[in-house]
Amino acid sequence: MINQLLRFTPILKQKIWGGKKLNQLLHKKSDGSNIGESWEISDVDGDESVVSNGNLKGRTLRSLLKEYRHDLVGDYVYKTFGEQFPLLIKFIDAKEVLSIQVHPDDDLAGLQESFGKTEMWYVMQADNEANIIIGFKENSNKEEYIHHLNNKTLLSILNVDKVSKGDVYFVPPGRVHAIGAGLLIAEIQQTSDITYRIYDWDRKDIDGNYRELHTEKALEAIDFSAKKSYKTTYKKQKNVANQVVTCPYFTTNILLVGGKKEIDLSKKDCFVIYMCVEGEVTFFYESQQEVVRKGETILIPACIDKVEILSENSSELLETYIK
């Protein structure tokens, strides 16, 4: 039995579009500039999370999964995904707009021996006029899309939403998107690092080179249909799990925490991840006590049936697991 709550050392990623909010607002420690992502929990090859607390300190997530199996992730998850952890958990700071891009589904990604990439975003902070590019304004097709791509007018057929703190977006494979400048985001996604870059605003990297585009692969992946609205609506009741997103790859709830609360996990055949997106929450399990502050993440192994949480002030947690 894996008998402790798990914290991991963040893996910080420099990005051409990154900024300083991960350091300034979420207190991530880095001497680098343009830190765009903090990978909180990862089993991506070459970027495997390492435990930072307790008796398991120094162990990789992958080694824990090989040893503890269903005790760590649950019977269903272990049977479905084997010895690869199925989720990648991030915080993202977009000082500048990201590339317009799209992600493949499991079938397309499988050709590259990877999971597909379904993801969701929770906006933690937004500068004035910050926006997200998400989906098409109206139903489109390959011919119209290629015409606008070649003429660098793609934005004219894409939907742009002005966003603010607390907004949620679900991004299934095939949905064209770009996180806009001035956004701090919590991201939950399948374990995959595959992105098909469509357009990168003609900017160059520090070596003066344009980043690679994936025009043909993107064409195979894009869903050209439009939706009336791309923003996810959800309830905000205090001290209950308000469901935000549910799909085959993850379910995410938001907990508005005030005071002390017991969380019964006995009916979940799965690990549970908590991302603190506002305030500070203390987790209690047996003799263990972990303070999780804004911008920090904790993983509860599947074999743990009950924890208590305490917040002296109003705090917010994203709760994620797989049904």
Side-chain angles (χ1 to χ4, degrees), residues 46-76:
D47 286 302
E48 298 158 21
S49 288
V50 175
V51 178
S52 62
N53 70 323
N55 294 330
L56 297 171
K57 184 175 181 179
R59 294 281 302 274
T60 64
L61 176 60
R62 185 168 296 181
S63 74
L64 295 183
L65 184 48
K66 287 182 177 179
E67 180 174 348
Y68 294 104
R69 302 184 180 187
H70 55 82
D71 279 348
L72 176 60
V73 297
D75 290 333
Y76 168 76

Side-chain angles (χ1 to χ4, degrees), residues 187-302:
E187 180 177 275
I188 296 153
Q189 61 158 93
Q190 290 177 267
T191 294
S192 172
D193 198 29
I194 297 179
T195 292
Y196 297 157
R197 199 176 294 121
I198 294 169
Y199 180 62
D200 198 33
W201 315 103
D202 295 325
R203 63 186 160 195
K204 298 179 180 179
D205 62 21
I206 57 174
D207 298 319
N209 300 314
Y210 295 111
R211 293 198 295 170
E212 182 184 5
L213 301 179
H214 309 96
T215 305
E216 295 304 319
K217 288 182 178 179
L219 269 176
E220 294 182 60
I222 293 173
D223 176 2
F224 292 99
S225 63
K227 290 173 62 71
K228 289 183 179 179
S229 175
Y230 293 93
K231 188 181 298 186
T232 300
T233 59
Y234 59 95
K235 295 180 180 179
K236 299 180 181 179
Q237 295 178 320
K238 195 171 183 179
N239 286 330
V240 299
N242 300 281
Q243 185 172 288
V244 179
V245 167
T246 187
C247 69
Y249 304 105
F250 55 82
T251 293
T252 298
N253 307 317
I254 189 162
L255 281 67
L256 310 181
V257 185
K260 197 165 191 177
K261 176 180 173 59
E262 182 179 273
I263 300 181
D264 183 359
L265 304 172
S266 61
K267 295 181 181 179
K268 290 183 173 66
D269 178 25
C270 186
F271 61 88
V272 183
I273 293 168
Y274 291 96
M275 304 177 77
C276 186
V277 293
E278 190 63 59
E280 177 181 300
V281 179
T282 304
F283 285 74
F284 300 90
Y285 169 67
E286 296 186 346
S287 61
Q288 188 178 359
Q289 180 176 321
E290 296 288 344
V291 179
V292 181
R293 299 176 177 85
K294 180 179 179 180
E296 295 182 343
T297 304
I298 194 166
L299 186 151
I300 317 298

Side-chain angles (χ1 to χ4, degrees), residues 89-109:
I89 306 298
K90 301 178 182 178
F91 292 111
I92 295 175
D93 170 22
K95 181 181 178 182
E96 299 179 15
V97 62
L98 275 66
S99 62
I100 298 176
Q101 57 192 246
V102 69
H103 302 313
D105 61 15
D106 286 345
D107 289 338
L108 275 178

